[in-house]
Structure formats: structure tokens, C-alpha cells
Amino acid sequence: MSKIRLPLVAALAAVSIVPAAIAQADWPQQPVTIVMTFPAGSGVDVVGRTIQEPLSRVLGQPVVIDYKVGAAGNVALEYVSRAKPDGYTLVFGTAATHGSNAALYKKLPFDVEADFVPVTPIIDVSNVLTVNPDVMNVRTFKEFVDLVKANPGKYNYASTGNGTGTHMAFAEMNSKLGLNMVHVPYKGGPEAMQGVLKGETCCIMNQVQTVLTQYKAGKVRLLGVTTARRVGVIQEVPTIAESGVPGAQNFESTTWFALFAPKGTDPAVTAKMNAAVRQVLQMPEVRAKLEGTGNAVRLETPEQFRVTVKNNRQKWAEVVRAANITID
């Protein structure tokens, strides 16, 4: 009997594999959902909306944006970690959600590294120290540092939430420069900026794209970008490293936005999505829109991006330890 059954089992297994292989080859055959880690109006949302329609055209299927907001992106990550690994549910992650969160949160219901497959980066994001001049009447980064050091514990800084990129960029700066400031987390980017504009907080280390309107209207001052080089759209704003402040030499704190899939997603599917996003990012109108707001398009294969994610996770783990930050 066994001599008859073994070939039969093998044959049945082969038959079951064929439809799956065909489905992967034909992916996508239905709408693709991108789950957002942060709310409407946030930097993540702006970039997601920018690529949504052209990505739908390239894939030949609708791209649906869904919001699962909360806990610095962890709500969305938990949802996607449990999704079927068929390529139809992805999460819009950041260097924080897939980097610093692993060091910050001790009891996550998923493994940031093991439960996700890096699919593709989208952009590198420039942050800029943004202050309300009515709260802090300073015009340079050095003046900012001198004022904070003269008033330890007096000034509150905003972030888009515990463990987010805006929080970690400020925490890294404070740790390197020995600044004593109070962290005030908000629900998201729009709320955090409103906190700064209303004077609830003095400042924020926010993405360039989210502060341009207020900057051009004269409502905020920009004191220094966190990138190694100046940002074209605000070329007049120096880098923090240029300030000459002790401890600020070589300072660089950037983040990236990217797509991740649940573990077990077929490499052929992730490769297709990676190629589709790369095609979108190289469209002149898309690239101009993203880079015109202070970002830099990032093109990497899934294999290259996996290395980027690993290095990023190690970097932010060191920052978290140095700043002595933990979140239950």
C-alpha cells in the first residue's frame, strides 16, 4: 500500500503547488491594501497618498489606504503581522516602527524583525528643528542650545508620539548635547504641530514636508536640519552639524518610509511590489513632488533594503540605550 500511496501523495502535493505558483505569477489579482501607521495628514499619509494613484496604475489594481493608528505605529504592525501573507496587505513602516520601537517597547505582541518582510524603501526623510518664536526667541541652533542649557527642564518639545521618528531625533540630539527638556507626545503630526503653534510646546524636530507651510507663513523658525547636507527646498537653513556647537559635529539623524509585508510572503510577490514602487518613484512628477518637499527618493532591492533595516535597528537600539528611554 505504501508504494502506491507515496507517489499519490507526491502527485497531490504537486497539484496543490501549481495553483499557488500561478497565483503568485499573476499577482496582483485584487486590490492591494496599504495599512497606515500614522493618521491622515501625517508625513506618512502625505507620501502614501502621493504614490497611491500611480502605484494603482502600475499594478493594474486599486491600492487602498487603511488606517490602523496608535501606539507609535504598533497597532498597524500588529494587524499586519496577523494578515495573510499573500501580498495583498502591506504596512507603511518607518525607521521608528521597524527600528527604535524594538528597543523601546518591551512587550510587543509581534517580533519587529521576524514577523515582517522588508519590501521596499520609498524615501529618506529630512527632519528640521522647528521652533515657535513666541516661545523661544532664538534665531540659530547655538542660541537654542544656550537657552535650553540656561533653563534646564523649562522647555517642552513636541513629538508625533512616543517612539516615533520625531521623538527619537530629539532624544538623540538631547543625549549628544546634554540638553534637559521635557517630552510631550501627541497623537500624530497635525496635533503635534498645533501644539507648537499654540505655544503648548516650544519646538519639534519634524519632517521638512510637514512644516513648510507654517515656515513660509512666518509662523515658525527653522534652526537646523538633521541631515548631513542642507536640504534643497530650505537651502538657507544650515545643518545641525554646521552649528559649531560642541557635540553636534557629524550629527545626522534621518528616517525613512517604507513598505513591509507579513512574514511568509513569497519573494516573487515582494520583488514585484518592489519593482512597481521603484517604477513609480522614478516618474518625474512623483519624484518632483516628493523631493520638492525636502525628501530624497530611496531605491533599493528587497535584499539591499533588508540590510538597511538591520543597520537602522542597531543604530536606534544604541540611541535608546544612551538616552535611557523605555516605554511599557
Side-chain angles (χ1 to χ4, degrees), residues 28-42:
Q29 298 178 344
Q30 65 189 55
V32 176
T33 297
I34 296 178
V35 178
M36 285 293 172
T37 42
F38 297 97
S42 64

Side-chain angles (χ1 to χ4, degrees), residues 207-217 220 222 233-234 292-294:
Q207 298 148 21
V208 171
Q209 63 186 0
T210 63
V211 303
L212 279 177
T213 300
Q214 290 85 358
Y215 172 56
K216 290 177 180 178
V220 296
L222 307 184
V233 71
I234 50 170
T293 51

Side-chain angles (χ1 to χ4, degrees), residues 13-274:
V15 170
S16 68
I17 290 171
V18 171
I22 293 174
Q24 290 158 6
D26 292 341
W27 182 92
Q29 298 178 344
Q30 65 189 55
V32 176
T33 297
I34 296 178
V35 178
M36 285 293 172
T37 42
F38 297 97
S42 64
V44 164
D45 182 55
V46 170
V47 174
R49 293 291 180 184
T50 299
I51 69 170
Q52 181 183 19
E53 191 278 330
L55 185 58
S56 297
R57 283 190 275 116
V58 171
L59 292 175
Q61 291 288 345
V63 172
V64 179
I65 288 181
D66 188 19
Y67 298 92
K68 303 292 182 185
V69 178
N74 290 328
V75 171
L77 266 64
E78 180 178 4
Y79 176 83
V80 174
S81 71
R82 298 175 179 177
K84 187 176 180 181
D86 54 10
Y88 292 108
T89 304
L90 305 174
V91 65
F92 200 114
T94 70
T97 64
H98 286 79
S100 57
N101 279 9
L104 286 166
Y105 292 86
K106 305 305 179 185
K107 298 178 182 179
L108 290 174
F110 53 83
D111 187 305
V112 174
E113 184 171 6
D115 290 339
F116 297 92
V117 177
V119 177
T120 181
I122 299 172
I123 58 170
D124 286 323
V125 182
S126 304
N127 287 320
V128 60
L129 177 56
T130 305
V131 302
N132 180 331
D134 293 331
V135 180
M136 297 186 84
N137 188 21
V138 294
R139 296 184 176 276
T140 67
F141 182 72
K142 184 179 185 305
E143 289 179 0
F144 170 86
V145 171
D146 289 344
L147 183 60
V148 172
K149 287 192 171 183
N151 298 275
K154 175 182 177 180
Y155 291 103
N156 303 334
Y157 71 91
S159 81
T160 55
N162 280 320
T164 61
T166 56
H167 177 200
M168 297 312 300
F170 227 117
E172 182 178 12
M173 183 186 73
N174 288 349
S175 177
K176 285 182 177 293
L177 302 184
L179 304 183
N180 181 357
M181 302 185 72
V182 179
H183 173 221
V184 180
Y186 287 81
K187 291 182 179 179
E191 295 86 352
M193 274 306 301
Q194 280 302 308
V196 174
L197 294 172
K198 291 178 180 178
E200 296 171 355
T201 58
C202 68
C203 48
I204 186 171
M205 193 80 82
N206 213 353
Q207 298 148 21
V208 171
Q209 63 186 0
T210 63
V211 303
L212 279 177
T213 300
Q214 290 85 358
Y215 172 56
K216 290 177 180 178
K219 295 180 179 179
V220 296
R221 287 181 187 154
L222 307 184
L223 303 185
V225 294
T226 63
T227 45
R229 298 180 179 84
R230 295 193 183 197
V231 176
V233 71
I234 50 170
Q235 189 66 29
E236 68 278 11
V237 180
T239 68
I240 287 177
E242 287 180 82
S243 66
V245 172
Q249 298 89 343
N250 302 317
F251 182 84
E252 183 178 2
S253 182
T254 58
T255 187
W256 39 253
F257 293 167
L259 295 180
F260 292 80
K263 70 176 180 181
T265 303
D266 190 271
V269 171
T270 59
K272 277 193 169 186
M273 185 54 142
N274 180 280

